[in-house]
Amino acid sequence: MEQMFTEDNMKEMVRQSNLASFPEKPVSPGDSWEFSVDLPLGPMGKGSVKGTYTYVGQEEIEGSATAKIKVEGTVAMKFGEGDEEPKSEEEKQMMEEMKQMGMKITESKMEGTTYFDPAIGAIRLMEMDQSFTMSMKPPGAPGEMSIPIKQKIKMSLKAFEDLED
């Protein structure tokens, strides 16, 4: 977990919480476009988020004109097969254990609404419902264990500062 929540990874998560892709041309209410984002988790694993944005229209959020955008998509993650080399023997052992367990996220669905503020290039408000199944083979036990997870996420931007500094 420590590897997943480094300062750089947190900045990347905030950056990725913005729109993953912008439309190639101006849009009108009802127009849609696809997005796809790879989620590197360091040596822990890798994942992806894929889906569709649909422009709903303009809406004011806390005095800012935002683009209201419907989001539908899926999340996939596989642990123990990261793109980075482990930094310690402990990390290497943990990666091997995760790989043996075959830990992954499947059967995912996300739906929600995001309010993008073009003046600052960031999301002012996001409300998302997610559901997915985390599955793994417990060490020393037969079969596979599946845990269904449902969550509601609400993110609100109250202050903005450039993360490039």
Side-chain angles (χ1 to χ4, degrees):
M1 287 298 177
E2 198 173 280
Q3 293 293 320
M4 289 175 66
F5 295 105
T6 65
E7 182 178 343
D8 287 342
N9 284 349
M10 293 305 292
K11 285 181 180 180
E12 182 65 12
M13 283 186 226
V14 169
R15 188 190 67 74
Q16 288 182 1
S17 70
N18 272 312
L19 293 182
S21 72
F22 291 90
E24 294 178 5
K25 58 183 174 132
V27 293
S28 299
D31 290 348
S32 297
W33 65 100
E34 294 182 0
F35 67 89
S36 178
V37 177
D38 290 330
L39 300 172
L41 301 172
M44 300 297 292
K46 52 188 162 186
S48 64
V49 179
K50 297 178 182 182
T52 304
Y53 291 131
T54 302
Y55 178 65
V56 176
Q58 290 288 107
E59 192 165 314
E60 190 172 306
I61 301 289
E62 296 185 9
S64 295
T66 66
K68 181 178 180 180
I69 301 169
K70 180 179 170 187
V71 182
E72 295 179 300
T74 61
V75 177
M77 288 189 183
K78 195 165 188 180
F79 297 93
E81 297 182 12
D83 292 330
E84 292 179 22
E85 289 296 316
K87 295 179 178 79
S88 67
E89 202 53 44
E90 181 182 86
E91 204 173 80
K92 184 177 181 179
Q93 181 181 350
M94 185 174 59
M95 282 178 57
E96 188 55 40
E97 289 170 0
M98 290 177 79
K99 191 173 188 175
Q100 288 175 3
M101 288 190 296
M103 188 182 290
K104 61 188 172 204
I105 289 178
T106 60
E107 301 174 27
S108 71
K109 181 179 181 181
M110 60 183 218
E111 295 180 314
T113 305
T114 189
Y115 298 84
F116 182 78
D117 186 339
I120 61 171
I123 292 175
R124 286 275 176 190
L125 176 67
M126 178 198 60
E127 296 174 319
M128 191 74 59
D129 290 326
Q130 285 186 335
S131 62
F132 57 89
T133 300
M134 181 173 278
S135 62
M136 69 179 121
K137 299 174 210 147
E144 187 172 273
M145 177 174 75
S146 294
I147 304 166
I149 298 170
K150 290 185 178 184
Q151 59 187 7
K152 287 187 174 286
I153 301 167
K154 183 174 183 177
M155 180 186 85
S156 178
L157 179 66
K158 297 295 181 190
F160 179 80
E161 85 179 54
D162 190 354
L163 295 177
E164 297 298 317
D165 295 337

